[in-house]
Amino acid sequence: MTREALKYGAVNLSQGFPDFAAPADIKRRAMEAIDADINQYAITWGSQNFRDAIAKKTQWHLGLEIDPETEITVTCGSTEGMIASMMATVDPGEEVIVFEPFYENYAPDAILSDARPRYVPLRAPDWTFEPEELRSAFNEKTKAIIVCNPNNPTGKVFTRWEMHFIAGLCKEFDVLCFTDEIYEHILYPREGVEIGHISMAQLDGMRERTVIVNSMSKTYSVTGWRVGYCIAPPRITSGIRKVHDFLTVGAAAPLQAAGAYALSLPPEYYETLQSEYQRRRDMLLPVLEENGFQTFVPDGAYYIMTGISGFGFSDDVEFTRHLIREIGVACVPGSSFYSVPQRGSQQVRFCFCKKDETLNRAAERLSKLRKTI
Ligand SMILES: Cc1ncc(COP(=O)(O)O)c(C=O)c1O
């Protein structure tokens, strides 16, 4: 969709990357690291100062004591973290439970690990799962479940009850949990609803069976740096480190040095990040609603999933093509997030990690949508 957007000069609200500058001090640390000749391989599982910073931040943010020597692997983005974790732990013929709609990589990750993804629906408008449906997906072949929280593409933040229910099943069936927490700081509090980040590893009996997959990409607006990390108990980390070594050897050394700085930023950094994204979300939501989209208001992450049945298009791909070519705005067809395209055929996802001027330009163009249908 990014390529299509470039081809047709569309405002790109498809792929989730900021079009604004990364924080100047974080960029400066990377430049200083290169200048100081931190330009050779870091130790394969991550440079010590970055791992120390990850452990310290995790203690501060999640209240978890992590041993940087045995429980952290620095990877090339959370993308590598997720596949390395699966390859390290999942055996051929086993099953991995994936909530659907899902971030596009999870099913291929399972397949590349010779496992079978087993889908459990999250149903709109709240994107909740049926407890009994989830339970029935667990069986003797289940090796792991993936929980993306806050969730891409839906913006769902799993409730404490849901998290405990999933944890209970993991313990009952002796299953691992891979938690993708890259949007942990991007949350939108609501009156009367507890919306705070809960990591599966914080729940009773889950620390020993959870792999936290995280990254600098979204929290520090550096998606192109490709620096992520996995936090897991020593036995699992030892496997992840081996796979990681053979996959990529290591993440960029000077960017890990800048990462050590970024992860030591004070709480105010995260408060500003949160409030800025809340402001952007509240800019785009009414634009979509006024122009005929059914919106599913996100509680976290930086996407808005929408329903398009009001427009009368036969499917999401046809609609997206129309939006790019005739209106000049790009989004992601909902079918990309489903194992069966039909399930997402009346949904599309917009991202709002963009400058105000980009969102305003999109608003202006979207106001013409109804006239073209
Ligand atoms: C849920 C989720 N996980 C992982 C990624 C990829 O992150 P990274 O840049 O850390 O590889 C994305 C990117 O959009 C995402 O939305």
Side-chain angles (χ1 to χ4, degrees), residues 6 36 112 130 185 200 206-207 209 292 319 331:
L6 286 172
L112 287 168
E130 280 295 328
H185 291 286
M200 196 55 94
M206 287 306 288
R207 172 90 159 81
R209 56 178 70 254
F319 176 81
C331 58

Side-chain angles (χ1 to χ4, degrees), residues 341-360:
Q342 182 57 27
R343 292 182 188 151
S345 72
Q346 289 301 317
Q347 294 173 350
V348 297
R349 189 202 72 180
F350 292 87
C351 72
F352 54 86
C353 45
K354 303 293 170 188
K355 292 179 194 153
D356 286 8
E357 65 204 62
T358 309
L359 295 175
N360 285 332

Side-chain angles (χ1 to χ4, degrees), residues 77-79 103 106 148 152 180 182-183 215 217-218 226 303:
S78 64
T79 299
Y103 171 62
Y106 300 152
C148 177
N152 174 11
D180 184 334
I182 70 167
Y183 299 103
S215 166
S217 287
K218 313 289 176 173
R226 318 305 307 127
Y303 307 96

Side-chain angles (χ1 to χ4, degrees), residues 309-324:
S309 53
F311 298 113
F313 280 78
S314 63
D315 69 42
D316 55 324
V317 177
E318 198 202 323
F319 176 81
T320 305
R321 197 171 289 136
H322 179 84
L323 205 67
I324 291 178

Side-chain angles (χ1 to χ4, degrees), residues 44-359:
T44 173
W45 52 82
S47 60
Q48 171 135 26
N49 58 352
F50 187 39
R51 279 181 289 117
D52 288 347
I54 294 167
K56 219 162 150 195
K57 189 197 158 211
T58 308
Q59 160 71 52
W60 161 71
H61 185 50
L62 301 179
L64 297 173
E65 287 286 346
I66 306 294
D67 181 352
E69 294 310 315
T70 58
E71 296 187 296
I72 294 173
T73 311
V74 175
T75 55
C76 297
S78 64
T79 299
E80 191 215 329
M82 186 60 81
I83 183 96
S85 302
M86 278 203 218
M87 286 186 158
T89 53
V90 179
D91 288 323
E94 291 180 329
E95 293 184 2
V96 175
I97 297 175
V98 177
F99 287 110
E100 184 177 53
F102 54 88
Y103 171 62
E104 298 102 307
N105 283 26
Y106 300 152
D109 286 346
I111 292 163
L112 287 168
S113 309
D114 281 337
R116 185 168 160 254
R118 182 179 274 267
Y119 304 100
V120 173
L122 295 174
R123 291 196 176 85
D126 296 333
W127 307 105
T128 45
F129 58 83
E130 280 295 328
E132 278 319 305
E133 200 169 13
L134 179 60
R135 165 174 280 280
S136 67
F138 281 74
N139 63 67
E140 68 288 350
K141 289 196 192 135
T142 312
K143 183 55 172 256
I145 180 167
I146 300 177
V147 178
C148 177
N149 187 40
N151 188 264
N152 174 11
T154 64
K156 175 186 175 63
V157 173
F158 284 78
T159 66
R160 189 169 289 279
W161 186 89
E162 288 172 329
M163 295 290 279
H164 277 284
F165 186 80
I166 298 167
L169 290 172
C170 289
K171 287 183 274 186
E172 184 181 332
F173 288 86
D174 192 18
V175 159
L176 299 174
C177 183
F178 303 120
T179 67
D180 184 334
E181 304 188 15
I182 70 167
Y183 299 103
E184 64 184 335
H185 291 286
I186 305 178
L187 295 165
Y188 312 111
R190 267 197 284 147
E191 279 276 311
V193 183
E194 184 199 2
I195 296 175
H197 182 64
I198 305 170
S199 171
M200 196 55 94
Q202 291 171 305
L203 305 190
D204 252 12
M206 287 306 288
R207 172 90 159 81
E208 57 265 40
R209 56 178 70 254
T210 298
V211 180
I212 298 177
V213 180
N214 211 327
S215 166
M216 289 187 69
S217 287
K218 313 289 176 173
T219 304
Y220 306 101
S221 304
V222 287
T223 60
W225 281 19
R226 318 305 307 127
V227 178
Y229 53 91
C230 297
I231 299 175
R235 179 179 46 87
I236 300 177
T237 293
S238 154
I240 296 173
R241 286 180 174 184
K242 289 188 184 83
V243 175
H244 158 73
D245 193 0
F246 292 123
L247 283 178
T248 62
V249 176
L255 304 185
Q256 293 188 50
Y261 166 78
L263 269 77
S264 311
L265 287 170
E268 297 82 72
Y269 173 81
Y270 304 98
E271 286 158 20
T272 307
L273 182 85
Q274 188 275 334
S275 61
E276 275 297 297
Y277 274 126
Q278 181 138 8
R279 199 181 55 72
R280 292 187 182 102
R281 180 196 71 161
D282 295 342
M283 273 178 82
L284 187 60
L285 261 175
V287 169
L288 296 172
E289 283 162 7
E290 282 157 21
N291 289 296
F293 292 86
Q294 177 195 6
T295 57
F296 303 109
V297 180
D299 287 330
Y302 50 45
Y303 307 96
I304 301 174
M305 193 71 151
T306 66
I308 55 166
S309 53
F311 298 113
F313 280 78
S314 63
D315 69 42
D316 55 324
V317 177
E318 198 202 323
F319 176 81
T320 305
R321 197 171 289 136
H322 179 84
L323 205 67
I324 291 178
R325 295 182 187 181
E326 306 302 325
I327 304 299
V329 175
C331 58
V332 178
S335 53
S336 341
F337 306 110
Y338 290 86
S339 57
V340 177
Q342 182 57 27
R343 292 182 188 151
S345 72
Q346 289 301 317
Q347 294 173 350
V348 297
R349 189 202 72 180
F350 292 87
C351 72
F352 54 86
C353 45
K354 303 293 170 188
K355 292 179 194 153
D356 286 8
E357 65 204 62
T358 309
L359 295 175

